[in-house]
């Protein structure tokens, strides 16, 4: 259709267009030169000029008409075919095969050479359409997807041969990626999210390649994946994004990067980057100017600088395309990062773009200077506005450290001196009003005066103006605080506390202004309040992130810490007027998302301030005790939000904790983490009880004390029986030992389907027979640092099997004991894994079982029996030794110790059935024997135990180990 439309348009319009252009040009020249238009020489010159200009531009003008005609024709065809599309979609949704009887009857009368048949179109017939689509009048000729460009110096990617060994390897690796994508999409679907939909589309494209093994489709995958990435990857800047949206955006990014790394093994990086860059140049403009997506491609060396520089400079059209100009400014600023050392790098990589931006800035400055001079001559300009503004086109003009707020704004790339001056005036007025007796007595009246002043200055005129105003306010307050702290410390040597209080004067006033505007915005409309809060929080996060990236080691977290915690206290505190009660959960969720966005893994320089915020009494109180405006909020939601923050912090610490020696800063941060968790253990143990699985799954295996602290939690109403005064038979009589603990997690969603489906079948019928031998292999992974096993899946499998076993016992009305759990399909899983796994895998398995030895409940009872059964019935001393190690290393750590851990170990050493002291590993060395003796004396009174006599150390082992553990937190 496009080829026919283009041909008809080219034939019918070219000659009339040339005649019209020539006549109009001649008339325009004659009108401009009336005084001497009658001379023959001038007429000849007008004729020649008109002919030359027409000849030079008729091709371009004709192509534009052809392009417009093709676009309109495409829209018309789409409208006419819409009905047919819907019929086919409806049949496809019903799993049927569409057949148009009328069309079939027509094609039956045609000659076989041109008739089509139901089903997929033959490749020979498709080649006809390919020829049409690759040779259209008015469009650049191409040969489908094989050729990227016909420009000199541009190569082409040679398709992978369909039957080659390389293609087979590509398909195998694509199968692995598809498998991982399927696991992720099934475990955490997010149907309405664009990034999730894009991941699914990319998965389908990869699946088609594995089926067809067509190298040309592999080349198409590069272009299509690039287009999909730029369409759907939106990580920042959207106030409505929730954590799942952000997570799927990152998964899309990781999928694209992984796919391109795979293709780099078969295509040269130069050719791959050229194809990606060409694909960007050809897609829609609303996709093309995606700064986050382009930045990813540049950092991964997938963007060819020369081609992109030419395209971006051309797209700016000397300032005519403002969308491209704004993108170029942001792109260069983002790549430069405010670093003076990267000036030459930017100019070398993007010379045309930098040149365009510099020229535009010079033109802008000249225009502004002329306007200012005119204003000065007329006496209409404020003296403060006479200063010429600093350059904004490139970030390289910025100084490394701001000396005044206005300069700092310019350094960050915001060229609005007028708005900066308004911000300074408004903030000065508000600070004076805020601390005045009137402001303290009636803050709402003071707010009304400030709103009037803001309207007079026009800062509330549009949404963009509001965003700009608050961004400049945040930056102004931060720059003042940093400047005050630096100058006072250098000149006066004042104590840090006094300097901070001087900074709080400005910061607290700004927070008060934000809080009042949120509370009293738009006559009580709840949605407008939450939208304003999210806008302000996003602005704070954005400024913090930019400051963190620019200042590096000089970053000061104090102003942002004060703003965030003060704003949280103001907004979430008691609300006697009930202005914010209807949106209480939305407010807490917005703050939770903000804290999550600022987690230490993303902002390491903010880590200490972040932990101070998360451990603040008001943050814990609002999210866990439902105080303030959280009284009516579902406690399950707030507890899950706080748990997510704790987990994100532990993920940051995990790589450091795996090492024996910790840097001093991390050791201090770890100590603070222990204090926060101890507060939660004391005041809100239910949180640790309900979410112990996900928290322990994040903690490295060598952090025994930290894990003990989590597992020692028990519900507030419960009173723990004395583990030293009970024997194991008495444990069976405790009523709580038959009650399953509360949990909000579904283990089945964590275990991949390739394990869970055969596992369910085996637990029900003990089939298939080969499941048990294959299970250790299924638990292995190559994507987890420090281990070859997928610890998350292994821990989930342990708990899942235990839950199923307890349900089965309850169904049979049997009590949990070492007799009732024996010789079942559930115990088969644990026994076979204990035998087949290597030392590392067995340690992780027993670690997952020990994680369930907590307060009195059915899980503790069942997994305690599992340990005792495995210890008694295993024929390999290595299994008994590893079980003992797991229990022993948790007991020698500093208190607290989980109740279930104590009763299991006491039963193991007291009951002669297990012959604990007869095993060689208990007395293989004198120091090992003394360690066991000390722990046994601690757990069991000497006169009531069956322990052989040994030399007593006279002191508890926990005290002797405490000093070492305080020095090396990671060993705990």
């Amino acid at each position: 259709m496009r080829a026919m439309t283009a041909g008809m348009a080219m034939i019918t319009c070219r000659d009339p267009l040339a005649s019209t252009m020539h006549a109009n040009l001649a008339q325009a020249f004659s009108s401009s030169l009336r005084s001497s238009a009658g001379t023959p020489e001038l007429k000849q010159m007008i004729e020649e000029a008109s002919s030359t200009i027409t000849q030079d531009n008729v091709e371009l003008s004709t192509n534009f008409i052809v392009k417009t005609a093709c676009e309109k024709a495409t829209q018309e065809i789409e409208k006419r075919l819409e009905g047919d599309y819907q019929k086919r979609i409806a049949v496809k949704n019903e799993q049927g095969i569409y057949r148009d009887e009328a069309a079939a009857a027509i094609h039956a009368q045609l000659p076989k050479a041109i008739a089509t048949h139901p089903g997929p179109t033959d490749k020979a017939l498709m080649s006809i359409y390919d020829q049409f689509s690759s040779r259209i009048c008015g469009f650049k000729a191409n040969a489908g997807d094989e050729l990227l460009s016909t420009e000199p110096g541009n190569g082409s990617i040679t398709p992978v041969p369909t039957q080659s060994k390389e293609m087979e390897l590509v398909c195998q690796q694509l199968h692995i990626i598809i498998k991982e994508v399927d696991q992720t999409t099934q475990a955490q679907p997010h149907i309405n999210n664009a990034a999730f939909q894009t991941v699914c589309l990319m998965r389908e494209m990869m699946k088609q390649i594995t089926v067809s093994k067509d190298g040309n489709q592999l080349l198409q995958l590069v272009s299509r994946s690039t287009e999909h990435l730029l369409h759907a990857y939106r990580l920042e800047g959207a106030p409505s994004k929730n954590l799942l949206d952000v997570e799927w955006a990152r998964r899309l990014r990781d999928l694209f990067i992984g796919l391109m790394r795979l293709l780099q093994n078969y295509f040269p990086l130069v050719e791959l980057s050229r194809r990606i860059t060409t694909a960007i140049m050809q897609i829609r403009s609303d996709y093309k100017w995606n700064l986050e997506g382009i930045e990813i491609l540049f950092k991964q060396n997938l963007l060819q600088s020369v081609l992109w520089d030419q395209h971006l400079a051309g797209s700016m059209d000397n300032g005519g395309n403002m969308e491209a100009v704004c993108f170029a400014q942001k792109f260069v600023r983002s790549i430069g990062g405010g670093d003076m050392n990267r000036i030459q790098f930017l100019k070398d990589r993007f010379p045309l773009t930098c040149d365009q931006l510099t020229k535009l800035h010079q033109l802008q400055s000249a225009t502004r200077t002329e306007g200012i001079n005119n204003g000065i001559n007329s006496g209409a300009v404020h003296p403060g506005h006479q200063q010429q503004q600093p350059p904004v086109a490139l970030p390289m003009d910025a100084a490394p450290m701001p000396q005044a707020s206005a300069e700092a704004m310019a350094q960050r790339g915001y060229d609005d001196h007028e708005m900066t001056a308004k911000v300074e005036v408004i903030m000065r007025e508000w600070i004076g009003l805020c601390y005045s007796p009137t402001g303290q007595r009636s803050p709402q009246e003071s707010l009304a005066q400030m709103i009037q002043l803001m309207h007079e200055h026009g800062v509330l005129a549009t949404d963009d103006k509001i965003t700009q105003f608050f961004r400049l306010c945040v930056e102004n307050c931060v720059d003042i605080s940093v400047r005050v702290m630096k100058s006072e410390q250098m000149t006066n040597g004042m104590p840090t506390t006094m300097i901070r209080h001087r900074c709080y004067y400005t910061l607290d006033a700004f927070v008060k202004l934000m809080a009042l505007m949120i509370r009293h915005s738009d006559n009580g409309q709840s949605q407008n309040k939450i939208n304003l809060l999210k806008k302000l929080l996003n602005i704070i996060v954005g400024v913090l992130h930019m400051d963190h990236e620019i200042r590096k080691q000089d970053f000061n977290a104090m102003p942002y810490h004060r703003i965030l915690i003060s704003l949280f206290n103001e907004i979430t505190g008691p609300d006697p007027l009930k202005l914010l009660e209807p949106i209480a959960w939305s407010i807490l969720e917005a703050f939770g998302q903000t804290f999550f966005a600022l987690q230490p893994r993303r902002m390491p320089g903010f880590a200490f301030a972040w932990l101070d915020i998360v451990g603040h009494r008001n943050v814990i109180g609002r999210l866990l005790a439902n105080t303030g405006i959280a009284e009516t909020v579902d406690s399950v939601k707030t507890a899950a939000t706080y748990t997510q923050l704790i987990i994100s912090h532990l993920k940051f610490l995990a790589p450091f904790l795996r090492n024996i020696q910790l840097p001093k800063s991390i050791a201090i941060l770890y100590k603070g983490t222990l204090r926060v968790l101890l507060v939660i253990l004391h005041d809100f143990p239910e949180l640790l009880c309900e979410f112990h699985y996900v928290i322990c799954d994040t903690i490295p295996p060598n952090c025994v004390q930290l894990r003990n602290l989590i597992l020692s939690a028990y519900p507030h109403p419960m009173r723990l029986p004395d583990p030293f005064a009970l024997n194991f038979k008495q444990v069976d009589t405790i009523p709580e030992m038959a009650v399953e603990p509360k949990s909000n997690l579904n283990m089945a969603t964590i275990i991949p389907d390739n394990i869970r489906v055969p596992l369910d079948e085996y637990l029900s019928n003990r089939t298939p027979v080969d499941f048990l031998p294959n299970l250790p292999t299924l638990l292995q992974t190559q994507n987890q640092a420090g281990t070859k096993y997928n610890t998350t899946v292994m821990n989930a499998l342990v708990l899942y099997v235990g839950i199923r076993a307890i349900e089965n016992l309850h169904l049979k009305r049997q009590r949990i004991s070492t007799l009732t759990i024996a010789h079942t399909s559930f115990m088969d899983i644990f026994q076979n894994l204990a035998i087949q796994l290597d030392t590392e895998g067995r340690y992780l398995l027993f670690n997952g079982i020990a994680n369930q030895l907590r307060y009195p409940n059915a899980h503790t009872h069942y997994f305690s029996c599992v340990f005792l059964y495995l210890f008694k019935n295993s024929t390999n001393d290595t299994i008994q030794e590893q079980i003992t190690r797991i229990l022993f290393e948790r007991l020698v750590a500093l208190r607290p110790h989980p109740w279930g851990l104590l009763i299991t170990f006491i039963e193991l050493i007291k009951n002669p059935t297990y012959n604990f002291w007869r095993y060689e590993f208990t007395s293989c060395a004198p120091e090992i024997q003394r360690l066991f003796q000390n722990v046994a004396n601690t757990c069991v009174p000497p006169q009531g135990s069956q322990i052989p006599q040994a030399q007593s150390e006279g002191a508890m082992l926990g005290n002797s180990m405490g000093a070492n553990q305080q020095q090396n937190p990671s060993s705990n």
Side-chain angles (χ1 to χ4, degrees), residues 11 130 146 192 239 312 316 343 381 389 484 494 512 530 583 620 651 705 714 723 725 750 788 792 872 928 932 953:
I11 293 171
D130 291 338
E146 281 92 8
N192 296 325
L312 186 56
M316 284 192 285
I343 297 176
V381 177
Q389 297 192 22
V484 167
M494 293 176 61
K512 188 74 173 178
I530 192 61
I583 55 172
I620 296 178
K651 286 182 178 179
Q705 183 191 7
Y714 59 90
I750 302 176
K788 67 178 181 180
T792 299
K872 180 181 178 181
I928 296 294
F932 275 113
E953 296 298 310

Side-chain angles (χ1 to χ4, degrees), residues 139-160:
F139 291 86
K140 186 178 179 180
N142 63 77
D145 285 323
E146 281 92 8
L147 295 179
L148 291 178
S149 175
T150 58
E151 297 176 7
N154 280 2
S156 61
I157 297 178
T158 305
V160 179

Side-chain angles (χ1 to χ4, degrees), residues 587-599:
I587 291 173
L588 295 174
E589 184 184 29
F591 275 105
Q593 292 175 354
T594 299
F595 298 153
F596 186 82
L598 297 174
Q599 61 178 283

Side-chain angles (χ1 to χ4, degrees), residues 133 283 305 323 385 494 513 527 565 623 649 681 706:
S133 64
I283 64 174
S305 301
E323 187 178 17
H385 292 179
M494 293 176 61
L513 176 61
Q527 190 57 45
I565 197 63
L623 294 178
H649 182 67
L681 175 65
L706 188 57

